[in-house]
Amino acid sequence: MAENLVNLDDLGMTEEELFQTQSHDNVESEKITAPRYSYWRSVFRVFFKRKLNIVILVLLLVIIIFAYIYPSFSGFDRYANIMDSSTKHLTPAAAIKLYGFNIHNILGRGGSGESTFDSMWDGARISISLALICAAINMTIGVLIGAVWGFSKKVDMVMMEVYNIVGNVPYILVISVLVLIFSPSFWTMVFAMTVTGWLAIAYFIRTQVIIIRDREYNLASKCLGTSTVKIALKNILPFMTSVIVTLLASEIPSYISSEVFLSYIGMGMSEITLGKLIFKAEGAMLTPGWQFEFWSPVAIASIITIVLYVAGQSLGDASDPRTHM
Amino acid sequence: MVKYLFKRLLRGLISVLIVVAIVMILIYSLMNRDLVFSMDTVLSKQNNNAKVTYKYAQWERFGYLDYVPYADYINELFEDGEIDAETRDNVVKFGRKAKNDSDVVAEYVAKFTEYYESRGYEVIRLDAVMQGKKKVANGGQQALFATKDKTLLNRLGTYFKNLVSVDNIHYVDEDLDIGKRGLTFTWRDPAYGGEKFSPAIMGNGTKYKYLVYFDSKFPFFHQNLITINLGVSYSVNMGVDVFDTMTKSQGSYVQRDVVYPSGVEEFSADDLHSATYMKDSREANSLNKKYYVDDYTNVITFKNGRSKLGYSFILGIISSALAYFIGVPVGIVMARRKDKLFDHIGTVYIVFIIAVPSLAYIFLVKAIGYGIGLPTVFDLESQSKLMYLLPIVSLSLPSIASLMRWLRRYMIDQMNSDYVKFARSGGLSENEIFTKHILKNAIIPIVHGIPGTILFAMTGAIITERVYVVPGAGNLLTKAINAYDNSVIVGVVLFYAILSVISVILGDILMSIVDPRISFTSKAR
C-alpha cells in the first residue's frame, strides 16, 4: 500500500485547500445549528419579492387614504345642494363646466346635487369599516371555537348538529329580524352579520384541524408526552397561519359583497354605504347621462374587494413556510 | 344502507323541525307584532275600540294568538243548543260599561270570563268611548273578548298537523245534502266532453271534484288527493297558500272551448279540473247555476305563463347545466396546464367572480346585453326565448367559476399521488392519466353537489330575478320579510330546509354510486 501514498507537497496546494486537524470539543459537538430563520421576516421577504404585490399594496394605501382621510378634508355634505335643481344629475363634463375643474367634479353630480366622487368615498368608508370589524370578530370567534371543535370529539358531535340546523336558517331572515328588532344602525348590522357568521369559519377551521391533528408528527409528539395545548400552539397553529390568512382574504371582501346585496334587497342599514348608493342609483344605470352615479360605486366596490382579496391571497401564499425556500 | 339512510332522513327531519321552531321564535316572539300593520291601510281608518279589536282579529289571522269575541261565545252556546234564540238575542248585547249590564247579561259575561280565564285566556273588556252624553264615538262601541297568545309548541303542532292533508269524502259538512258521497272512476273525463279517452277519479263530498286526472300539461298526470299547506299568505298573495303561490301558473288568460257540466259550451279560461266545493255557490250566483250541476264551482283559470317555481327552475337548471358543461372541461384544462397562460387567465376570472360583488357583474352583464340589443327585462307576454339568455348567463357565471376553482384544486391535489406516478411510469399517456384516473377521483366531491344544484335551482336567485324582473320564487322570502307575511316566511323556510336535507342525502347516495369505496354501512368496510 505504501507506493499509493502521495506526498502533499507534490500537489502544490496552499494550506487552506488541504484538510486540517481540528481539536475535538465534547460540548461544541452537541450543538445543532441551522441558518438563522425568522418566520415573519421570511413572509415579508417572499411577499415583497413579487412586483404585483407592491402595486396592490400601493392601491390599498390609496384606497385607505381616500376612504378614511379624504372625507375629513372634502367637507362633504350630501344635502348641501338639495334645494338647487340645477346641480342635480350632472355628467362630469357638465359639472366641470359649472364648477370648474377640481377633484369633486370628476365623476359628475348625483340625484341630490352631491358630488358623486365624494359620496362614493363616504360610502366606501362605512362599507370597509363594516367589513373589517365583522371580519375581526368572526375570525376571532370562529378560529377559537373551530380549534376546540376540531380537537374534541364530544364538542364535534354537538356542534355538527348546531351547524346543520343554523345552516338551514336563511341568513337574510336572521339579519332582517335583528334589524327590525333593533334599529337599522351600523352596530346592529355588525351584530347581525356576526351572530351566525362565525359558524361557517369555525366549521372550516374544524375541518383543517382534523386533517392536521391526526398526522404522524402530532401522534409522535403526543407519544413523547407533549400537552394538548402545546400541540395546538406549537404544532398546529404554525400550519394554520397561511390557511387563516387565506380565509381572511376571502372573508373581508365577502362582507362588502353581502352588505351590497342586503342594501340592494332593501334590508341594509340607515347609513349611506356603497350598497345603498348602488340601490339608490339603480334607475340611473340605463338613463343617458346619469350612468356615472351608478357605475362609480359599483366600480369602487369591485376595486376595493379585488385589491383586498389579492393582497390577502398573496399574504396567505407568503405565509406558507413551504414558499420560504 | 337503507337503515342508515332512514336514520339520516329522520335526523334531517328533526333538524328541519328545529329550524322551523327557531324561525317561529324569530318572527313571532322576537319581532314587534305591531310591525305587521306597517303596510296595512285599513288600520289607520279605524278608531278607538274598533282599532283594538281590529288589531286582535288581524293578529289571529297572522297566527299570533287566539281571539274569541263575546258574541262568538254566545253563538257557540246557541249552536250547541245550550241556550235558545231568545236568550241569545237578549244576552249578546252587553252594556256600555260593566255596571250597565242587565242581570242576565252579567251572568253570561261572568260565565264567559270564568270559562276562558280557567283556560289561561286574558279577558279584556273595553268600555264604550262616548262623544257627548248619548252618542258613541266613531268606532267607540264597547268590546269584550278573550285572548291568549299561542305557545311555540302549540303553533308548531298545529303547523305540522295541517302540513299535509288528504282529501276525503267527508270534507263537505256532513249535514248538507249533496247527494251520494263517494268516489267514481271514469275512463272518459267529462271535462273533455265525455268522449275523449282520459281516465279520471272524481269525488262527491270531497274538496276537489277531480282527484286524479290527465291533461296535456307536463307532467300530464295530476292529482288533487294530497295537498300540501305550507301556510296561507296574508299580504304577499292574499289568502293563497304558499305552495300554491309557488306552483300556480302566472300570466294572462288562455281561453279555449270548455264544456261545462251542465252541457253549456263556451269559450273560456276556466280549468274545470281545479273545481273545488263552495257552499251554496249555485244559489248565490246565477252564472254558476247556468254552468254547473253541483256546488263544485270554484275554478281557477288557465294562464299562459309558468309558475314561480317553474321559471326559477328553468333558469336554474339551464344555467347549472351550462356551468357543468363549461366549468368541468375548463377546470381540467387549467389543472393540466398549471402555471401556463391558460391557467393564469382562468385564475383571473375566478378572482374576479369571487371578489367582485355579484350585484356588480350581474349589472355588467345586463349593461352589455342592453348594448347588443338583448331584452333586459322578463316579459310574460313575450314569446321570445331571448329573454332567458341574460338571466341564465348571469346565473352561470359564478357557478362556472366555483366549479373551475374546485375541480382545478382537487385535480392538482391528486396529481402528486402515488397512483399517478405509477400510471406514468407504467407508460400511460397524459391524456389517459387525466381523463381515466385523476378525473375519476377528483370529480367525486363535485358529484356530491349535483343533487343540491338541481333541487336548489327551484328556489331561484334573489338578485338575478330582481334585476331582470323574473317572476320567480327567489324573491318570495325577501318579499315576505318586507311585508311581514309570517306564514309565507315559515313556509318558504320549511321548503328550503327540506330541500337541503334531501339534497345532502341524495348527494351521499350518488357519491357512493360513483365511488364504490365509499360505503355508509360499517359492515362493508
Side-chain angles (χ1 to χ4, degrees):
Chain A
M1 297 291 274
E3 58 267 29
N4 288 342
L5 288 174
V6 177
N7 190 349
L8 285 176
D9 297 336
D10 296 345
L11 294 170
M13 286 175 143
T14 58
E15 197 70 13
E16 286 87 32
E17 286 175 278
L18 294 169
F19 285 108
Q20 283 174 0
T21 344
Q22 292 286 329
S23 64
H24 178 72
D25 184 353
N26 271 331
V27 178
E28 203 60 25
S29 70
E30 286 299 313
K31 281 187 184 164
I32 303 168
T33 53
R36 283 177 63 82
Y37 173 79
S38 155
Y39 175 71
W40 288 106
R41 196 175 295 157
S42 308
V43 169
F44 288 113
R45 182 175 51 82
V46 172
F47 183 79
F48 285 111
K49 222 160 61 185
R50 277 182 74 191
K51 292 280 185 309
L52 177 72
N53 290 345
I54 298 171
V55 176
I56 290 287
L57 221 54
V58 170
L59 269 176
L60 191 63
L61 203 68
V62 170
I63 287 171
I64 289 170
I65 289 172
F66 268 105
Y68 285 92
I69 302 172
Y70 174 73
S72 54
F73 288 109
S74 66
F76 173 64
D77 180 2
R78 189 169 303 279
Y79 302 109
N81 296 328
I82 189 112
M83 303 302 286
D84 188 354
S85 62
S86 69
T87 63
K88 289 172 188 173
H89 297 301
L90 295 178
T91 58
I96 288 168
K97 210 171 136 193
L98 198 65
Y99 294 100
F101 184 84
N102 62 31
I103 196 158
H104 306 299
N105 295 327
I106 55 170
L107 292 175
R109 298 211 162 225
S112 34
E114 83 281 18
S115 153
T116 308
F117 187 76
D118 293 0
S119 99
M120 182 178 90
W121 286 114
D122 191 50
R125 181 171 50 88
I126 296 170
S127 288
I128 296 175
S129 306
L130 181 81
L132 291 180
I133 293 171
C134 288
I137 296 175
N138 275 346
M139 287 300 286
T140 317
I141 301 175
V143 169
L144 289 178
I145 292 183
V148 178
W149 185 354
F151 264 107
S152 161
K153 291 219 167 82
K154 274 181 200 153
V155 175
D156 187 43
M157 265 170 63
V158 178
M159 288 299 288
M160 273 319 285
E161 294 300 318
V162 173
Y163 179 74
N164 284 338
I165 289 164
V166 176
N168 274 332
V169 180
Y171 88 108
I172 312 172
L173 186 69
V174 176
I175 290 178
S176 58
V177 167
L178 288 175
V179 166
L180 286 172
I181 293 172
F182 306 108
S183 57
S185 71
F186 181 81
W187 290 105
T188 307
M189 206 63 185
V190 171
F191 178 65
M193 286 181 123
T194 50
V195 69
T196 55
W198 57 271
L199 204 61
I201 296 171
Y203 180 70
F204 181 81
I205 296 291
R206 168 234 176 224
T207 316
Q208 297 294 323
V209 169
I210 287 179
I211 291 171
I212 302 171
R213 183 190 66 187
D214 293 337
R215 290 219 177 138
E216 281 89 348
Y217 77 96
N218 280 319
L219 195 67
S221 192
K222 209 171 180 178
C223 293
L224 290 171
T226 320
S227 68
T228 316
V229 176
K230 204 171 175 192
I231 291 182
L233 290 179
K234 297 271 172 184
N235 291 6
I236 295 180
L237 192 67
F239 242 109
M240 303 285 294
T241 315
S242 71
V243 174
I244 293 171
V245 175
T246 315
L247 185 63
L248 189 65
S250 49
E251 279 296 310
I252 298 176
S254 83
Y255 292 114
I256 297 182
S257 302
S258 13
E259 189 276 317
V260 171
F261 167 74
L262 286 169
S263 297
Y264 181 68
I265 60 172
M267 286 170 191
M269 46 184 167
S270 50
E271 275 95 345
I272 302 289
T273 58
L274 284 177
K276 202 110 181 193
L277 286 173
I278 296 172
F279 171 64
K280 277 187 168 176
E282 193 198 345
M285 181 178 87
L286 300 173
T287 315
W290 293 12
Q291 283 100 336
F292 272 92
E293 288 168 41
F294 174 78
W295 287 110
S296 317
V298 171
I300 208 68
S302 314
I303 291 171
I304 291 173
T305 46
I306 287 184
V307 165
L308 285 173
Y309 182 81
V310 174
Q313 289 290 330
S314 305
L315 197 60
D317 286 349
S319 59
D320 185 354
R322 277 169 289 193
T323 61
H324 293 178
M325 302 301 172
Chain B
M1 181 80 181
V2 175
K3 201 176 155 194
Y4 170 81
L5 287 175
F6 184 72
K7 255 189 196 162
R8 280 279 300 273
L9 199 66
L10 209 68
R11 262 174 55 190
L13 289 180
I14 290 171
S15 74
V16 166
L17 199 83
I18 300 176
V19 167
V20 172
I22 290 176
V23 168
M24 280 180 169
I25 292 173
L26 278 177
I27 55 179
Y28 285 104
S29 312
L30 291 180
M31 240 157 66
N32 185 351
R33 59 179 64 174
D34 276 320
L35 280 172
V36 297
F37 299 111
S38 63
M39 306 256 175
D40 198 325
T41 50
V42 182
L43 183 74
S44 56
K45 298 193 184 88
Q46 308 280 346
N47 291 308
N48 299 324
N49 292 347
K51 197 169 195 160
V52 178
T53 48
Y54 175 79
K55 274 184 166 181
Y56 276 97
Q58 293 300 319
W59 279 330
E60 186 178 33
R61 293 189 64 174
F62 274 100
Y64 280 101
L65 39 76
D66 278 328
Y67 163 74
V68 188
Y70 173 68
D72 283 8
Y73 170 72
I74 296 296
N75 275 328
E76 212 172 281
L77 286 184
F78 169 67
E79 273 170 24
D80 290 346
E82 284 187 30
I83 51 174
D84 51 24
E86 198 188 341
T87 335
R88 182 190 65 176
D89 293 343
N90 281 337
V91 298
V92 79
K93 274 198 175 151
F94 51 96
R96 287 175 181 172
K97 283 178 187 162
K99 63 179 180 191
N100 298 354
D101 284 346
S102 64
D103 289 347
V104 60
V105 171
E107 183 196 326
Y108 276 95
V109 168
K111 242 187 197 172
F112 171 74
T113 313
E114 191 197 344
Y115 179 75
Y116 279 104
E117 277 183 348
S118 69
R119 287 161 174 252
Y121 282 72
E122 185 193 359
V123 176
I124 297 174
R125 180 166 189 159
L126 300 168
D127 291 340
V129 179
M130 307 299 287
Q131 195 176 39
K133 268 260 182 267
K134 292 265 169 193
K135 210 172 147 228
V136 176
N138 187 15
Q141 261 79 24
Q142 64 275 31
L144 175 61
F145 55 87
T147 166
K148 181 180 158 190
D149 277 7
K150 279 189 181 163
T151 61
L152 177 68
L153 281 179
N154 183 343
R155 192 175 284 137
L156 262 181
T158 8
Y159 186 76
F160 281 101
K161 207 176 79 195
N162 296 334
L163 193 60
V164 176
S165 61
V166 179
D167 207 354
N168 60 66
I169 52 170
H170 305 294
Y171 173 81
V172 177
D173 200 343
E174 291 285 351
D175 300 336
L176 292 172
D177 177 30
I178 51 164
K180 191 176 171 295
R181 285 165 194 263
L183 302 177
T184 43
F185 177 80
T186 165
W187 285 107
R188 294 176 198 283
D189 194 340
Y192 299 118
E195 274 153 41
K196 199 172 140 198
F197 173 76
S198 165
I201 297 176
M202 292 157 73
N204 194 20
T206 49
K207 182 182 180 195
Y208 286 92
K209 189 177 176 72
Y210 287 86
L211 297 174
V212 177
Y213 62 93
F214 288 84
D215 70 6
S216 56
K217 232 169 66 185
F218 185 78
F220 311 117
F221 168 80
H222 301 271
Q223 61 92 20
N224 287 324
L225 197 59
I226 297 164
T227 38
I228 297 172
N229 315 304
L230 289 177
V232 177
S233 161
Y234 183 68
S235 41
V236 169
N237 197 351
M238 183 121 182
V240 179
D241 191 83
V242 182
F243 192 73
D244 290 341
T245 309
M246 286 198 264
T247 52
K248 288 282 177 277
S249 51
Q250 319 166 73
S252 54
Y253 302 123
V254 181
Q255 296 189 316
R256 57 182 85 179
D257 283 319
V258 175
V259 184
Y260 286 96
S262 63
V264 180
E265 200 165 323
E266 204 158 291
F267 196 58
S268 155
D270 285 348
D271 179 5
L272 293 180
H273 285 136
S274 68
T276 52
Y277 187 81
M278 216 158 89
K279 194 181 158 194
D280 295 337
S281 53
R282 267 184 354 121
E283 291 299 314
N285 189 333
S286 59
L287 265 182
N288 284 340
K289 206 160 197 169
K290 181 180 160 200
Y291 291 139
Y292 299 98
V293 290
D294 48 21
D295 276 334
Y296 286 93
T297 57
N298 189 14
V299 293
I300 60 168
T301 45
F302 283 115
K303 288 181 179 157
N304 62 353
R306 284 175 220 287
S307 62
K308 282 186 189 298
L309 222 56
Y311 279 116
S312 290
F313 190 66
I314 290 262
L315 293 179
I317 208 75
I318 295 177
S319 65
S320 318
L322 200 68
Y324 282 106
F325 275 121
I326 298 174
V328 171
V330 172
I332 296 171
V333 176
M334 273 174 77
R336 280 197 67 172
R337 302 200 191 289
K338 185 169 170 275
D339 291 334
K340 302 257 174 62
L341 182 67
F342 189 86
D343 187 28
H344 289 311
I345 295 173
T347 312
V348 168
Y349 170 71
I350 294 172
V351 168
F352 180 81
I353 295 294
I354 292 176
V356 173
S358 53
L359 196 62
Y361 58 76
I362 291 176
F363 274 123
L364 201 65
V365 170
K366 187 175 181 178
I368 294 171
Y370 180 76
I372 57 175
L374 287 168
T376 53
V377 283
F378 219 77
D379 184 4
L380 280 177
E381 300 309 312
S382 163
Q383 291 302 311
S384 161
K385 295 275 177 264
L386 276 178
M387 65 187 181
Y388 287 90
L389 194 66
L390 289 180
I392 286 173
V393 170
S394 306
L395 277 176
S396 57
L397 283 178
S399 346
I400 291 175
S402 90
L403 272 172
M404 276 161 65
R405 181 185 179 202
W406 289 114
L407 193 61
R408 175 183 177 274
R409 177 81 266 143
Y410 295 139
M411 288 193 79
I412 287 174
D413 287 349
Q414 295 283 334
M415 270 154 68
N416 294 323
S417 307
D418 288 341
Y419 76 89
V420 175
K421 287 175 192 154
F422 184 72
R424 199 167 279 139
S425 65
L428 294 188
S429 72
E430 284 298 298
N431 250 338
E432 271 177 308
I433 294 175
F434 268 90
T435 52
K436 287 196 179 154
H437 298 272
I438 297 184
L439 183 63
K440 268 192 178 170
N441 281 299
I443 205 95
I444 294 164
I446 308 265
V447 163
H448 187 256
I450 292 178
T453 317
I454 295 171
L455 287 178
F456 274 90
M458 281 193 276
T459 62
I462 296 174
I463 294 191
T464 311
E465 289 183 4
R466 219 178 154 106
V467 168
Y468 297 105
V469 210
V470 179
N475 264 329
L476 209 54
L477 183 64
T478 52
K479 253 192 209 163
I481 292 172
N482 281 330
Y484 311 105
D485 200 337
N486 298 345
S487 41
V488 175
I489 298 177
V490 175
V492 173
V493 168
L494 176 68
F495 178 64
Y496 286 3
I498 290 176
L499 281 189
S500 99
V501 166
I502 294 174
S503 62
V504 172
I505 294 177
L506 285 183
D508 283 352
I509 295 175
L510 194 64
M511 202 162 72
S512 71
I513 293 171
V514 173
D515 185 353
R517 289 171 301 182
I518 297 171
S519 152
F520 293 112
T521 41
S522 47
K523 272 180 201 161
R525 261 181 225 158

